[in-house]
Amino acid sequence: EPIPDEGAGVQYCESNLNSTGRSAWIAAFGDHTVSSPHVLRCLDAPAGVPCYVLTSRQPAFVPNVSGSSGNLCLGGTGFGRFSNFVALTDPQGRYELQLDPAAIAQPNGTVAANVGETWYFQAWFRDSSGGTPTSNLSNGVALRFDG
């Protein structure tokens, strides 16, 4: 299934199929600046499951990370978790995060995106594999912040 070419970010990394039979994907919408809010939107996740966004300053590819059904598309040592923004996906399997470039989640709080930086984002969600509860992940989206 091809990744839709939408939004402000660049799609990268492949996601595995989830319990809906589709692959979840994430897109970024906004004007690429550090001074304007952005929207991160995950589509095609299962309906009614907890979902939130992870972030890193580096991309990677780790298949079926830690027993998950999904591939981790983030690298480095300190993943940011927007865990204060966990929400259930809607009936169509969508989740949306209003991203403030001045408050990007990091392990010890938040940091501001700087001009010229690229940040990598991915959605985590609860899933089931053969009826067994597990987690899964969307593909990744790279978002470069300009002035």
Side-chain angles (χ1 to χ4, degrees):
E1 175 178 333
I3 298 169
D5 184 18
E6 292 187 23
V10 176
Q11 305 284 322
Y12 75 98
C13 191
E14 289 190 29
S15 57
N16 290 335
L17 297 178
N18 60 54
S19 58
T20 68
R22 297 184 303 265
S23 296
W25 59 279
I26 189 169
F29 299 89
D31 67 2
H32 289 272
T33 66
V34 294
S35 59
S36 298
H38 294 70
V39 173
L40 297 174
R41 187 174 299 139
C42 177
L43 301 166
D44 291 335
V49 298
C51 185
Y52 70 106
V53 171
L54 306 170
T55 187
S56 176
R57 295 179 198 228
Q58 297 175 352
F61 182 77
V62 182
N64 300 103
V65 65
S66 298
S68 170
S69 291
N71 302 322
L72 182 64
C73 299
L74 305 175
T77 58
F79 297 155
R81 292 171 174 82
F82 289 88
S83 52
N84 290 341
F85 300 96
V86 174
L88 297 180
T89 56
D90 72 12
Q92 289 74 43
R94 294 178 298 211
Y95 168 86
E96 194 167 282
L97 172 70
Q98 301 295 318
L99 175 68
D100 178 357
I104 297 179
Q106 287 294 278
N108 297 315
T110 62
V111 298
N114 293 307
V115 173
E117 286 183 335
T118 299
W119 284 80
Y120 301 87
F121 300 91
Q122 182 173 28
W124 175 97
F125 54 92
R126 182 60 64 199
D127 201 8
S128 63
S129 176
T132 303
T134 187
S135 63
N136 207 327
L137 296 150
S138 70
N139 70 319
V141 64
L143 183 57
R144 179 178 166 83
F145 290 96
D146 296 320

